[in-house]
Every structure is written in structure tokens, then in C-alpha cells.
Amino acid sequence: MFFSFDLSASMMRFNGYDSRLDRSLECALPSIEFVPEGKYPKNEKDMYDILSRMNAHAQYCLSGDNTLAAVTNSVKDVVKEEADDYFVLVLSDANIAQYNLSPASIAKELKGHDKVNAFMVFIGSLQDQADQLSVGSFVVLVKAMPGSAFVCLDNKELPKIIKAIFTESMLKGL
């Protein structure tokens, strides 16, 4: 299982506007238990250090978008070790139109390996970007991959989305 978090400059820049980085870090905290074997945080200080590094990365990175690369690498890396199921969950701020990323290219990368269940959760809300993606220009991805792209503007909704993701994946496997 791979979790990939958007730690781009836009996450930091617009955090004061809609708390997108804070929401992403809140989502990251429970997933820290999924770090590679032997690198688990031993205590709360270790968890805080991981979140601090994530925050610092967003603060000091160059602008640009690596959404496609994150999906591609996560899908490729998750299958390196033998497992019963393979899951990739990518959180992004939905700032993809600015970088000319097409819904078709994201859909292609999410489908990059037939054994991998890959999902994208958009958490941005600048000028309703995430909502526009899910119902407007992003309708291509939603139609191409129903149940694989989600919008989450409230962290209380994330567990429901993740539950829906796992339920859908289990039902596909039956």
C-alpha cells in the first residue's frame, strides 16, 4: 500500500486560504504506520519529525507539478514486493489545470498496472478547483474511472472515502 502526498509549493502557498497542507498533513498522520519496514516512527517525536519534513518540503520546494510522476512511481513501486492486493492512494490539491495535465493522462497512470488499485483524492479548493475537476473538465476521468477519483474538502470525510475505496476494491475482487 502506497500513500502519496502532494507537498508542492501550491500546497504551502494556498494553505492560509483553505488549509490544504494542514489537511494533507492531518491525513498523513494515521498513514505514517505504513512507512517502510524498519523505518517506523518509534514515538510521537518521530511522527512529528516526519510531518515537519513534509511541511518543510512544501515550504521550500520549487513550483511545478509532479502528480503524474507520483502516480506512475507509486503504481510501479507498490508491485515490487509480492502481496495479495496492491493499493495506491494519491492526495493532490487539484492544481492540475495550471500544468496542462489532462484527465486522460491521469486516468492512464492510475490504470498503469492491472494488479494495482489506484485512487486519487483531490483536496484543493482554490476557486472550487477540486469541485470543478469532479464535475466539469474532469468529467472525462470520472467517466473513465468511476470510483477512482474523489473530492475531499473536509477531513472528516476522508475515512468514508477510504472505506469506499477499500469496499469497492474488495467487491471487484469477488
Side-chain angles (χ1 to χ4, degrees):
M1 180 178 298
F2 272 58
F3 290 89
S4 182
F5 294 92
D6 184 341
L7 300 174
S8 62
S10 64
M11 292 291 286
M12 178 60 76
R13 179 181 174 135
F14 298 114
N15 192 50
Y17 174 75
D18 62 9
S19 303
R20 62 180 66 183
L21 181 60
D22 293 342
R23 288 186 284 125
S24 186
L25 294 175
E26 287 174 15
C27 296
L29 186 58
S31 66
I32 287 176
E33 67 184 72
F34 295 105
V35 297
E37 191 170 338
K39 296 186 179 185
Y40 303 117
K42 295 177 179 70
N43 51 46
E44 288 182 4
K45 182 193 176 302
D46 290 349
M47 286 188 233
Y48 175 78
D49 289 344
I50 291 169
L51 294 176
S52 293
R53 284 194 309 269
M54 291 172 74
N55 188 67
H57 179 80
Q59 185 173 4
Y60 297 109
C61 72
L62 298 173
S63 64
D65 190 273
N66 290 300
T67 302
L68 284 180
V71 174
T72 302
N73 290 334
S74 296
V75 168
K76 183 177 74 173
D77 290 347
V78 76
V79 295
K80 285 184 177 178
E81 292 185 29
E82 189 64 34
D84 293 333
D85 291 305
Y86 301 98
F87 291 94
V88 169
L89 179 63
V90 180
L91 271 74
S92 177
D93 70 355
N95 194 13
I96 63 172
Q98 176 178 337
Y99 298 102
N100 296 318
L101 297 179
S102 72
S105 62
I106 294 175
K108 179 182 175 195
E109 296 306 321
L110 285 172
K111 294 182 191 179
H113 195 288
D114 59 345
K115 288 185 178 181
V116 177
N117 297 294
F119 305 91
M120 182 155 280
V121 179
F122 294 104
I123 61 172
S125 64
L126 183 65
Q127 298 173 345
D128 299 322
Q129 286 171 326
D131 287 330
Q132 289 172 16
L133 289 174
S134 66
V135 298
S137 64
F138 216 60
V139 78
V140 174
L141 178 59
V142 174
K143 283 184 178 178
M145 305 205 47
S148 294
F150 300 88
V151 175
C152 180
L153 300 178
D154 181 353
N155 278 354
K156 291 179 225 157
E157 296 299 313
L158 192 62
K160 294 176 189 173
I161 291 171
I162 292 174
K163 182 179 179 181
I165 287 170
F166 287 132
T167 301
E168 176 70 24
S169 297
M170 286 177 28
L171 293 175
K172 265 193 334 190
L174 295 179

